[in-house]
Amino acid sequence: MKSLRLILCAMPLVLTGCSTLSSVNWSAANPWNWFGSSTEVTEQGVGKLTAATPLNEKSIADALDGDYRLRSGMKTNNGNVVRFYEVMKDSSVAMIINGDQGTISRIDVLDSDISSASGVEIGTPFSDLYTKAFGNCQKATGDDSAGVECKAEGSQHISYIFSGEWSGPEGIMPSDDTLKDWKVSKIIWRR
């Protein structure tokens, strides 16, 4: 009788287990991942993504440890068709990975959970990092043309895109007084 009760209690779990257990992030359940370091933007790359990482779905997914979903796409750049990957976290884009010659050349970080090794994250105000734009920043280009791009202090590979409100002429960089309230909207790593 006891075993019959156990079977009746366990049966719904067994029957629904297949669908619910597939959504569990098993790599996060590993005890050695509980206290591991979070993904950071460093001089070498973003987490395990580096200039040596091949620009293909399997290599990128392996470097991300299954914490994200990948979506591939193609676009034109200077008349050439190039492949890129969007790294999805839930329903939003966390990173955009571009490459050339078969390896990663640029990673745009949009995820507020990923910071630079120096602690800069999405939402950090300009005034926390710089007192003036001159010598540090320039008007951003391409998809980021509404913002300002600034090199990370002491870095050859990391820069920040700052965005904010400004009603000045297009193509002109805002004044330092305006920029002080702008915030990091993207962290960029380039090879």
Side-chain angles (χ1 to χ4, degrees):
M1 190 67 166
K2 253 186 183 178
S3 61
L4 181 59
R5 277 190 229 150
L6 278 173
I7 290 173
L8 289 175
C9 288
M11 201 55 133
L13 291 173
V14 170
L15 292 175
T16 61
C18 293
S19 65
T20 57
L21 292 178
S22 66
S23 65
V24 172
N25 181 353
W26 288 106
S27 69
N30 291 329
W32 49 87
N33 289 338
W34 292 351
F35 305 106
S37 62
S38 59
T39 303
E40 281 186 332
V41 183
T42 65
E43 287 296 292
Q44 290 72 40
V46 179
K48 295 178 186 173
L49 296 168
T50 67
T53 306
L55 188 68
N56 64 57
E57 192 164 346
K58 182 182 179 342
S59 299
I60 293 170
D62 289 348
L64 293 170
D65 291 330
D67 292 337
Y68 300 91
R69 289 180 300 109
L70 288 176
R71 193 164 68 179
S72 68
M74 299 182 111
K75 64 181 178 181
T76 58
N77 184 16
N78 295 332
N80 298 320
V81 176
V82 292
R83 172 173 228 108
F84 68 93
Y85 288 91
E86 289 182 335
V87 178
M88 305 298 293
K89 180 180 179 184
D90 300 321
S91 62
S92 59
V93 177
M95 289 182 261
I96 301 170
I97 300 172
N98 293 281
D100 56 16
Q101 301 168 354
T103 58
I104 294 174
S105 62
R106 175 179 167 148
I107 303 171
D108 293 14
V109 176
L110 306 161
D111 185 354
S112 58
D113 291 334
I114 300 174
S115 64
S116 71
S118 60
V120 176
E121 57 192 26
I122 304 298
T124 300
F126 180 90
S127 59
D128 284 6
L129 304 173
Y130 307 97
T131 55
K132 61 183 173 95
F134 183 76
N136 299 307
C137 309
Q138 63 187 14
K139 187 76 174 119
T141 59
D143 294 339
D144 303 310
S145 61
V148 170
E149 183 172 346
C150 303
K151 286 297 263 179
E153 188 177 339
S155 174
Q156 296 178 6
H157 303 281
I158 302 169
S159 61
Y160 309 118
I161 298 290
F162 289 90
S163 300
E165 294 296 318
W166 189 55
S167 57
E170 191 175 317
I172 303 294
M173 210 160 82
S175 68
D176 292 335
D177 194 44
T178 300
L179 284 173
K180 71 180 180 184
D181 296 325
W182 284 28
K183 295 182 174 21
V184 172
S185 59
K186 184 187 286 188
I187 301 172
I188 300 175
W189 175 86
R190 288 183 180 92
R191 179 173 36 194

